[in-house]
Amino acid sequence: MANVLVFIDNPGNALKKSTLELLTLGRSLGETAVALNGELHQGVSATLAEYGVSAVFRPSAQDLDDYLVSAKAAYLGAAASAAGAGTVLLDNSPEGKEIAARLGIRLNAGVITDVVAVDTDGTAHKSVLAGSYTTAARTTTAVSVLTVKANNVTPEPASVASAPETSTIDVPADATTGARITAREQKVASGRPDLSDARIVVAGGRGVDGDFGPVEQLADALGAAVGASRAATDAGWISHDAQVGQTGRTVSPQLYISAGISGAIQQKAGMQTAKIIVAVNKDAESPIFEIADFGIIGDLFDVLPQATEEIKKRKG
Amino acid sequence: MKIIVLVKHVPDAQFDRHLTGEGYTTDRDESILSELDEYALEAALQLAEARGGAKAGNHVIALSMGASGAVNAVKKALQMGATEGVHLTDSGLAGSDAAATSLALAAAIRHLGTGAPVDLVLTGMASTDGETSLVPAQLAERLGLPQVTFASSLTVDGGRITARRDADTYSETVEASLPAVVSVTDQINEPRYPNFKGIIAAKRKSITTLSLADIGVDPTHVGHAGSWTTVTAAEERPPRTAGTIITDEGDAGVRLVDFLAAQKLL
């Protein structure tokens, strides 16, 4: 019997850093099992052992990806019951939160999203109202479902590796009803880290005036993800996926570099829990300077390329 | 078609927002219709209009749950063009988490479906206060309906709905049969402003008030008592303060890298 169940969705050949964070957090709360969807590759299997996972569950059905959310929630519910899990951990992606939502109703379990830390007694910590409050919350139910934000736990393998047993979970018959995914187009891969998980984000706004080149080049020099304000995505200069803010993506990286963004409240709401904020803007009156740890009043078309060159020089 | 749109009365994000009282609930002074719900309402109005509007039996019902002020979200929805308004309000609902909220809303939707069934429940992608985005999925699970979430486009043809949604690395086309619960993003449309005619017309539209007894919900299943999560502590974060601000004198890029190096971020 494991106390903690971690959901891992289609990991491919290697586990993402955010998944390693979930496994590390899970181990701090008890014996950890994994409910996997998708193929179990050799490398992933080895990492699960390194991280001390006691059991790996796999679904009896191969077509969970063909249905929207409900099929994965049904599978995970069955896996949580089989494991006897008191805590289920998922990533904090939009899909992770929705699977958690449906799972919560299936298991009569309280759901807490946007979690940044969990105490051993199950108290979860998060920030709310666009980062203006930090709260502690608990579930009042036998099972807790938590979605955990990336970049808040340092991944650490277990002191002793495990030899997890793999078993199959019968997916409930009602799993494959509901909304069906009839087509899926892969987007062109940028080679950059995912915005929600990235340790560093470089974001551009109205000030880039249609040219994201300097933002992208600085991002690549730093190994960062590229973000954007709503003004920039609405103008069509960059895909909507890059939008950081209240109606876009909420990010919480180690470093957020804001270039040519004034810092309206909706944009600040999406990024003000970043550990360090750097702002570059021509307008000294921009509200972004009120919250920046390091602010540069200047033209991003001068400052960003110079910084990019300097980073390349120092990295040799 | 009978479309229910969920509209939430949330604190205006332009002002400082606060948690108050024993349960650390959100202070709802200075509240407005959640911006993200306007997209759901616009989507509903467009679907109804494309089918000949209310005259042809297409009804858009704006439903809000909350204390007395929440009726303002319903009024705004009526001004934009919703045909009817419903305000679910009861002291027993105070402090409901997403699970309790979805239970009450599911009961209200079942209640509104007596007589003519509901074809579609439309919501925003998240509220701009709680921001959990849990309620649409939980509502779908409770009603046993398919959910189509984060739709950036939407078409309804006969008894089927087709939507497009964008994930990080791919875009999906999703299909479901009606009835369904659908949440939409801010990419789906450009919400209309209430015009003078709409504001005048809204004054003549009725708003039905429902209590927990009306929808057959036991007060112990909602509110603080019925919630599955509880906030045990809340602390206002000290506001971020400005750090070093410099003016570019030709070397700001280098100074930026010096700063990053000092913070061990290179």
Side-chain angles (χ1 to χ4, degrees):
Chain A
M1 295 283 268
N3 321 85
V4 183
L5 184 69
V6 175
F7 179 54
I8 304 181
D9 196 7
N10 287 304
N13 288 314
L15 294 178
K16 286 198 297 187
K17 180 172 168 277
S18 55
T19 307
L20 300 178
E21 292 173 14
L22 290 184
L23 294 174
T24 307
L25 175 65
R27 224 173 47 232
S28 76
L29 300 172
E31 194 177 307
T32 301
V34 159
L36 182 91
N37 174 47
E39 278 207 62
L40 176 57
H41 288 279
Q42 198 63 48
V44 168
S45 198
T47 311
L48 295 176
E50 267 177 59
Y51 275 74
V53 169
S54 64
V56 176
F57 299 110
R58 302 187 66 188
S60 60
Q62 306 305 312
D63 59 349
L64 301 186
D65 291 327
D66 294 350
Y67 298 90
L68 197 64
V69 179
S70 57
K72 290 174 187 172
Y75 158 56
L76 198 49
S81 303
T87 306
V88 183
L89 301 178
L90 299 95
D91 70 40
N92 199 54
S93 64
E95 192 179 1
K97 288 199 254 188
E98 294 199 305
I99 296 169
R102 285 193 92 122
L103 179 66
I105 300 301
R106 279 186 170 261
L107 298 176
N108 288 333
V111 182
I112 304 176
T113 58
D114 299 320
V115 172
V116 297
V118 185
D119 300 339
T120 47
D121 72 351
T123 301
H125 299 267
K126 62 183 284 187
S127 85
V128 299
L129 295 179
S132 57
Y133 278 81
T134 54
T135 58
R138 295 183 56 95
T139 67
T140 55
T141 46
V143 181
S144 304
V145 178
L146 310 176
T147 68
V148 183
K149 281 182 132 177
N151 295 320
N152 290 291
V153 176
T154 308
E156 265 175 48
S159 49
V160 182
S162 59
E165 288 204 15
T166 303
S167 54
T168 303
I169 295 289
D170 281 326
V171 175
D174 70 338
T176 48
T177 55
R180 199 181 163 87
I181 297 160
T182 53
R184 182 175 284 148
E185 289 162 49
Q186 206 70 31
K187 291 182 186 167
V188 181
S190 68
R192 297 192 181 99
D194 278 353
L195 188 56
S196 6
D197 302 348
R199 203 174 70 91
I200 303 177
V201 174
V202 184
R206 207 184 295 275
V208 308
D209 202 15
D211 180 7
F212 261 78
V215 170
E216 289 173 344
Q217 282 143 24
L218 179 59
D220 290 341
L222 287 164
V226 170
S229 70
R230 183 161 180 184
T233 60
D234 279 358
W237 300 336
I238 187 163
S239 151
H240 172 68
D241 311 339
Q243 187 188 315
V244 172
Q246 192 160 46
T247 62
R249 216 76 70 79
T250 305
V251 299
S252 194
Q254 300 281 326
L255 170 65
Y256 187 89
I257 299 180
S258 154
I261 301 177
S262 67
I265 183 94
Q266 288 86 350
Q267 158 71 203
K268 280 203 238 169
M271 47 63 87
Q272 66 176 344
T273 56
K275 301 239 168 25
I276 305 245
I277 297 173
V278 168
V280 181
N281 201 305
K282 277 198 286 201
D283 178 5
E285 302 300 314
S286 296
I288 191 75
F289 288 121
E290 293 162 17
I291 62 167
D293 299 285
F294 188 73
I296 296 170
I297 301 162
D299 188 339
L300 71 95
F301 288 96
D302 297 329
V303 178
L304 266 48
Q306 188 182 57
T308 305
E309 282 315 305
E310 183 68 18
I311 291 164
K312 285 185 185 159
K313 211 159 76 190
R314 293 195 196 187
K315 285 187 170 170
Chain B
M1 272 186 102
K2 189 166 178 178
I3 307 172
I4 294 182
V5 184
L6 301 185
V7 293
K8 191 171 182 187
H9 190 235
V10 300
D12 191 336
Q14 302 287 350
F15 302 107
D16 283 343
R17 295 175 291 175
H18 295 282
L19 300 177
T20 57
E22 213 177 308
Y24 303 106
T25 47
T26 315
D27 181 350
R28 293 186 184 276
D29 285 348
E30 311 275 8
S31 284
I32 55 167
L33 169 61
S34 179
E35 183 197 337
L36 292 170
D37 294 344
E38 292 186 14
Y39 299 93
L41 185 63
E42 178 64 38
L45 295 173
Q46 287 183 13
L47 285 173
E49 284 162 3
R51 279 158 189 74
K55 284 188 213 89
N58 296 286
H59 295 281
V60 176
I61 303 168
L63 167 62
S64 189
M65 166 178 144
S68 59
V71 77
N72 291 325
V74 179
K75 283 181 183 162
K76 173 86 184 283
L78 292 176
Q79 290 174 352
M80 285 174 70
T83 37
E84 289 166 49
V86 179
H87 181 203
L88 172 59
T89 188
D90 196 297
S91 57
L93 287 165
S96 293
D97 71 349
T101 301
S102 67
L103 186 145
L105 288 172
I109 289 163
R110 281 193 206 100
H111 175 85
L112 294 171
T114 45
V118 174
D119 297 294
L120 191 58
V121 178
L122 277 169
T123 77
M125 59 188 264
S127 67
T128 57
D129 54 353
E131 295 179 61
T132 65
S133 69
L134 293 175
V135 169
Q138 297 204 317
L139 195 56
E141 184 77 33
R142 289 194 187 276
L143 292 168
L145 296 181
Q147 72 177 92
V148 177
T149 41
F150 296 101
S152 58
S153 76
L154 194 62
T155 53
V156 174
D157 188 10
R160 292 195 73 72
I161 189 160
T162 305
R164 185 185 165 88
R165 59 182 238 149
D166 289 297
D168 270 355
T169 52
Y170 50 82
S171 302
E172 292 168 338
T173 307
V174 182
E175 283 184 24
S177 54
L178 295 181
V181 176
V182 179
S183 76
V184 305
T185 72
D186 60 346
Q187 296 300 296
I188 194 166
N189 55 42
E190 203 52 60
R192 66 194 69 182
Y193 288 105
N195 56 24
F196 181 70
K197 213 175 122 196
I199 292 166
I200 296 300
K203 291 186 191 297
R204 292 194 304 268
K205 293 176 187 168
S206 67
I207 297 178
T208 308
T209 304
L210 295 177
S211 67
L212 287 175
D214 294 329
I215 59 170
V217 169
D218 181 336
T220 61
H221 293 164
V222 293
H224 280 300
S227 289
W228 294 343
T229 59
T230 174
V231 179
T232 54
E235 203 176 322
E236 195 161 4
R237 273 167 77 110
R240 286 190 91 105
T241 47
T244 312
I245 310 283
I246 64 166
T247 301
D248 185 18
E249 285 163 356
D251 63 348
V254 176
R255 292 179 68 182
L256 167 56
V257 179
D258 287 340
F259 172 79
L260 299 182
Q263 300 287 336
K264 301 196 177 1
L265 285 163
L266 281 191

